[in-house]
Amino acid sequence: MQKVKVIVLVKDVGKFMISIVLLGILAVVDFIKKEISICILLPVIVIWLSIAIWNNEIEIQGIIAVIFLVALSLFTKQAFGMADAIVLSLIAVTKGVFNMLMIFFTANILFLIFAGVKNGMKQRNTEFPFIPFIFIIFIIIKIFYNIHI
């Protein structure tokens, strides 16, 4: 019986580490360039969804979130970036809408704190990358709350 628990734990850690590496790559690129090329985003989407399909972890409710997030990005004329919408969509489709919303709102709080400390009230049109905040919160929620993300 112990072997089954160990195998499940290793499998969970492996999926988590792959998610962290993929999100980490996107976070670094977004932080440096403040945009993510489709050449980087497309392989991440393929790998992320392939692993989710292989492990039978696709959430049907996440598809509604995908439509909403992509529409939000288009409606705001990229004020909410398309890459941000796609990353949150990947989380929604594979980890569930509730987990995606928890990550999104917590990342927004962290983002607002960072923007307030960095700029205060002086610059309004400053662009900040959002995926690094998603990345940080993804790790924090997984480690401290032990949620199946």
Side-chain angles (χ1 to χ4, degrees):
M1 285 303 242
Q2 287 295 77
K3 288 183 180 180
V4 174
K5 284 186 175 183
V6 171
I7 291 171
V8 171
L9 180 62
V10 170
K11 184 178 175 184
D12 187 44
V13 170
K15 290 185 294 186
F16 173 67
M17 292 308 293
I18 292 170
S19 300
I20 290 298
V21 168
L22 294 175
L23 267 178
I25 291 168
L26 293 178
V28 169
V29 170
D30 196 23
F31 183 76
I32 293 171
K33 294 185 175 185
K34 293 191 175 47
E35 68 179 11
I36 297 180
S37 166
I38 192 70
C39 296
I40 296 170
L41 193 58
L42 193 59
V44 169
I45 294 169
V46 170
I47 293 168
W48 191 295
L49 289 178
S50 297
I51 292 169
I53 291 168
W54 180 263
N55 292 311
N56 198 22
E57 292 182 339
I58 300 294
E59 298 278 336
I60 300 301
Q61 300 88 353
I63 295 171
I64 297 169
V66 171
I67 294 167
F68 175 76
L69 290 167
V70 170
L72 179 68
S73 179
L74 294 173
F75 180 71
T76 60
K77 297 177 184 169
Q78 299 291 324
F80 179 71
M82 184 60 76
D84 303 330
I86 290 172
V87 167
L88 288 170
S89 296
L90 288 173
I91 294 171
V93 167
T94 58
K95 311 302 180 192
V97 175
F98 178 76
N99 289 331
M100 182 273 300
L101 289 172
M102 185 170 44
I103 290 169
F104 175 70
F105 288 119
T106 312
N108 272 325
I109 292 168
L110 184 63
F111 172 78
L112 291 173
I113 291 169
F114 176 79
V117 168
K118 187 166 187 318
N119 284 340
M121 298 299 281
K122 49 186 171 177
Q123 293 179 342
R124 298 256 181 208
N125 293 330
T126 304
E127 291 183 7
F128 289 110
F130 188 61
I131 294 176
F133 297 101
I134 296 171
F135 174 66
I136 291 167
I137 295 302
F138 189 85
I139 292 172
I140 289 172
I141 287 176
K142 178 62 179 178
I143 290 173
F144 291 111
Y145 295 106
N146 200 17
I147 296 173
H148 293 286
I149 291 183

